[in-house]
Amino acid sequence: MVAVAALLAVTLLGAIATFLVDDRYAAKFATAVSTIPLVGSVWMYYVYLTEYQGVGNALLSPDTVAFRQTIDWIELGGYTIQYSVGLDGVSMPLLALTGILTTLALVSSWTPIDERQSQFYGLMLLMEVSLIGVFSALDFFFWFVFWEGVLIPMYLLIGIWGGPRRKYAAIKFFVYTNVASLVMFVGFFALVFSLGDSIATLGLPEITQALVAGEMGSLAGIGVADLKLLAFVLMFVGFAVKVPVFPLHTWLPDAHVEAPTPVSVMLAGVLLKMGTYALLRFNFTMLSDVATGSILAIMPVAIAVIGVFSVIYGALLALAQRDLKRIVAYSSISSMGYVILGLVAFTPHGMGGATFQMISHGLISGLMFMAVGVIYNETHTRMVGDMSGLADRMPWTVGIFVSAAFGYMGLPLMSGFAAEVFIFLGSFGATDTLGTLAPVLTSIAMFGIVIVAGYLLWAMQRTLFGGYELETDYELDGAAFHDVAPLAVLLLLVILLGVAPDLSYGMIQEAVNPILDIGGGV
C-alpha cells in the first residue's frame, strides 16, 4: 500500500510550500497541511485496529506487516538499497503520536512565534517528514537518512527561535546527537559486514533474520560473541544519547530551556522516543541474546541499573530546579529511565509497558510543556519563586496543568498509571534477566514516583495557589482559545488511554511477543 508514501510526499510538499508562503499566512497554512498526515495516520491507526490485529513484528515477520511497500532503488557497495516501509504495533502508535503532536504544536505556535513564520513552520513540517520516515522505514539507508534528517530542523529551530543561549544549546544538541549517530553507525555496520555474503541488502528485516538464524561470522579477528557485545555497546551508546540516559543527558536541559515551547513539545514528545524505539528495534530485537544476558550475564543488570539510576537522578535534579520548564525537562530523564527498565526486563508486561510508556510520556510531556508555555506567554516568567496564585487568574490553564501533573505522578485512570503499572509488573518478576535483583531494582525505581509527586506538588503549591503575587510588570490577559484547545485535546487523549489502554497496548503486545520468543523471555 502507498499510504506511508502518501504521508511522506504530502508532508514534504507542504513543508516546501510553507517556506514560500507569506509570513502572514504561514501559521494557518502549515496547520492546515499538518491535518493531512494527522488524519491519514489516525485513519491508518483505525484500519490497523480493525483489520490488522496480530500482524506481528516488522523485523521478524515482515511479510505480514501492515501498509508494507518495497521498491528496489539502487545498488551500493554490493548491497541493494530499497525504499521499504511498513508498520507494526510498535511503530503505528508512534506514527499517530507524531501526527497528533505536530498539529497541536503548530497550533500552540500561533501566539509565541511572531517572526520568520514561514521558515519556522516549514522546518516544523520538515521535521515531521523525517519522524514519519524514522518510524516506518524498514531499510537502514532510508532509516538513517530520516534519522539524521530530524537533526537539521531541530538544530535550526533551537538556534534561530530559541532563548538567550540558543546558539550554545543548538550546537551542543547537534554535536551530541551527531557523534552518537556515528558511534551507532559503526556498531551497526560491524554487524552487517560480519554477515558476509549471506546478506545482499540493507533491509532491517533481512539483517535481523540473518542474525537470529546465526549466520554471523568473525570480523577482523574478532569472534562472534565479542563482536556482538561490541556492536551492542556501540549501538546502545548511540541510542542512549537520544533517549537520553545518565550520563549522556547533559544536552537535554539546555535544549529544552532554550527551545521555544512548540519545539520543546516535539523534542520531549517524539524525538526522545526515537532513541527508545531504536533501542527496541536494534539492541533488543537484532541482538536479543546480548540483551538477555545469554552472552554476558551482567549485561541486563547493568542496563537496568542505568535505567533505575536515571529514574532517581532525573527526579532529584527536577526537585532542585526553580524553572518550571527545566523541571519538566529533567522529569523526562526520569520517565525514560522507566522505559529502559521495562525493555531490559524482557517480559510481556515489561517490554509492552515500556512501549506504552513511550506513547504516554509523549502525550503527558507535550501537555506539560504546552501548559508551561501558556503560563509563560501570560506571565513572562517561568520561575517558581516569581509566581503565586495563578489558579484564580488562569483557571482553565491551571486546571489542565494540575491534571497533567497528576498524569505524571501516575494517577489512576490516566495513561501514566497504566504504563508504570505494566512496567513494574514486568520488571518485578524479571528473574530470567535480572535474577534476584529484579524486585530490588523495581522497588528503587518505584521510589521515583514519590520524588516526582514531591517536586510537582511543591511547584504547584508555590505557583498556582495562595495569594496572587506576580513579581513582574505584566498583567494577565487570559489565554486565547487556540492556546488552551491543544491542552484540552492532549488531556482527553491521556485520560482515554488511561481508561482504555488496550487501544494501544493490544497492538503493542502483538509486536513485542515475537521478540520475547527469540530472546527466551518469560
Side-chain angles (χ1 to χ4, degrees):
M1 294 182 70
V2 297
V4 176
L7 288 188
L8 290 167
V10 168
T11 313
L12 178 60
L13 292 174
I16 296 171
T18 303
F19 282 114
L20 304 176
V21 169
D22 188 280
D23 275 356
R24 292 173 295 173
Y25 311 111
K28 304 293 175 55
F29 180 80
T31 305
V33 169
S34 73
T35 60
I36 300 174
L38 167 63
V39 172
S41 61
V42 171
W43 171 77
M44 292 163 70
Y45 194 98
Y46 173 75
V47 171
Y48 192 99
L49 270 179
T50 54
E51 298 182 16
Y52 286 97
Q53 281 288 5
V55 297
N57 185 282
L59 302 193
L60 298 172
S61 51
D63 293 339
T64 59
V65 165
F67 307 107
R68 180 80 193 271
Q69 185 182 23
T70 300
I71 301 172
D72 287 349
W73 184 42
I74 58 172
E75 296 289 331
L76 187 65
Y79 296 95
T80 301
I81 308 298
Q82 300 173 321
Y83 167 77
S84 179
V85 294
L87 298 168
D88 65 5
V90 173
S91 51
M92 186 70 251
L94 289 169
L95 180 70
L97 177 71
T98 300
I100 292 168
L101 278 185
T102 301
T103 298
L104 297 180
L106 290 176
V107 174
S108 71
S109 306
W110 292 3
T111 297
I113 303 302
D114 55 5
E115 60 179 3
R116 304 172 75 171
Q117 287 99 328
S118 61
Q119 296 172 27
F120 177 87
Y121 291 104
L123 288 170
M124 288 285 283
L125 289 175
L126 205 57
M127 184 163 58
E128 185 179 20
V129 176
S130 297
L131 290 168
I132 293 171
V134 167
F135 295 131
S136 59
L138 295 178
D139 181 280
F140 181 78
F141 180 87
F142 276 98
W143 179 86
F144 190 72
V145 167
F146 289 127
W147 175 271
E148 291 296 281
V150 175
L151 302 185
I152 298 171
M154 180 56 71
Y155 169 77
L156 294 174
L157 287 165
I158 296 173
I160 297 175
W161 289 271
R165 299 174 69 242
R166 56 186 179 275
K167 291 184 179 177
Y168 168 77
I171 292 173
K172 191 174 182 180
F173 161 79
F174 191 83
V175 170
Y176 264 70
T177 51
N178 211 23
V179 171
S181 296
L182 177 63
V183 173
M184 175 275 296
F185 192 86
V186 173
F188 177 79
F189 270 96
L191 287 181
V192 172
F193 292 146
S194 71
L195 291 171
D197 296 334
S198 65
I199 194 80
T201 172
L202 291 182
L204 297 178
E206 290 80 2
I207 292 170
T208 303
Q209 289 163 38
L211 290 169
V212 172
E215 297 176 7
M216 191 174 173
S218 60
L219 181 68
I222 305 175
V224 173
D226 290 338
L227 193 58
K228 280 188 174 183
L229 277 174
L230 178 63
F232 186 94
V233 171
L234 289 173
M235 292 196 295
F236 183 86
V237 171
F239 298 137
V241 171
K242 188 83 80 180
V243 173
V245 297
F246 175 87
L248 305 170
H249 66 285
T250 58
W251 62 270
L252 181 70
D254 292 314
H256 267 310
V257 170
E258 298 304 322
T261 295
V263 178
S264 290
V265 170
M266 295 303 294
L267 180 60
V270 191
L271 261 72
L272 303 189
K273 312 307 175 295
M274 289 169 57
T276 48
Y277 173 80
L279 278 175
L280 177 58
R281 291 295 197 206
F282 289 79
N283 288 75
F284 291 89
T285 303
M286 291 184 180
L287 296 173
S288 57
D289 48 352
V290 181
T292 55
S294 298
I295 293 179
L296 183 64
I298 199 173
M299 182 61 78
V301 176
I303 295 173
V305 169
I306 292 173
V308 172
F309 190 85
S310 295
V311 169
I312 302 300
Y313 181 73
L316 289 175
L317 286 178
L319 185 63
Q321 305 306 312
R322 296 295 180 269
D323 183 329
L324 277 178
K325 201 174 183 185
R326 196 173 277 270
I327 290 174
V328 181
Y330 276 113
S331 67
S332 291
I333 299 172
S334 193
S335 297
M336 291 298 97
Y338 287 125
V339 176
I340 299 297
L341 178 64
L343 288 177
V344 78
F346 239 84
T347 58
H349 284 317
M351 194 165 278
T355 307
F356 190 81
Q357 171 75 338
M358 297 182 205
I359 313 303
S360 171
H361 180 261
L363 296 173
I364 296 177
S365 63
L367 178 55
M368 289 286 283
F369 275 116
M370 281 188 189
V372 172
V374 173
I375 291 174
Y376 179 75
N377 291 341
E378 297 303 311
T379 64
H380 295 259
T381 181
R382 298 192 305 257
M383 303 309 293
V384 173
D386 293 344
M387 295 180 281
S388 178
L390 293 181
D392 292 334
R393 306 300 179 101
M394 308 173 66
W396 286 102
T397 303
V398 168
I400 293 174
F401 182 83
V402 171
S403 301
F406 283 143
Y408 239 121
M409 297 178 205
L411 193 75
L413 301 182
M414 303 185 87
S415 62
F417 174 78
E420 289 171 0
V421 166
F422 291 143
I423 290 173
F424 294 148
L425 283 175
S427 60
F428 201 88
T431 52
D432 281 9
T433 54
L434 304 180
T436 56
L437 289 176
V440 177
L441 291 168
T442 305
S443 300
I444 296 173
M446 292 172 73
F447 187 70
I449 297 175
V450 179
I451 306 175
V452 170
Y455 66 70
L456 287 177
L457 290 173
W458 173 81
M460 287 192 295
Q461 190 273 327
R462 290 287 303 275
T463 59
L464 309 182
F465 305 108
Y468 177 69
E469 296 177 6
L470 184 61
E471 296 178 358
T472 72
D473 295 330
Y474 298 102
E475 296 292 335
L476 301 188
D477 297 322
F481 176 78
H482 63 258
D483 291 327
V484 180
L487 305 179
V489 173
L490 283 177
L491 180 59
L492 287 174
L493 290 172
V494 169
I495 295 173
L496 179 63
L497 283 185
V499 174
D502 209 41
L503 287 172
S504 287
Y505 194 67
M507 67 170 68
I508 288 171
Q509 280 295 343
E510 296 294 343
V512 301
N513 282 341
I515 304 173
L516 301 174
D517 292 339
I518 63 168
V522 293

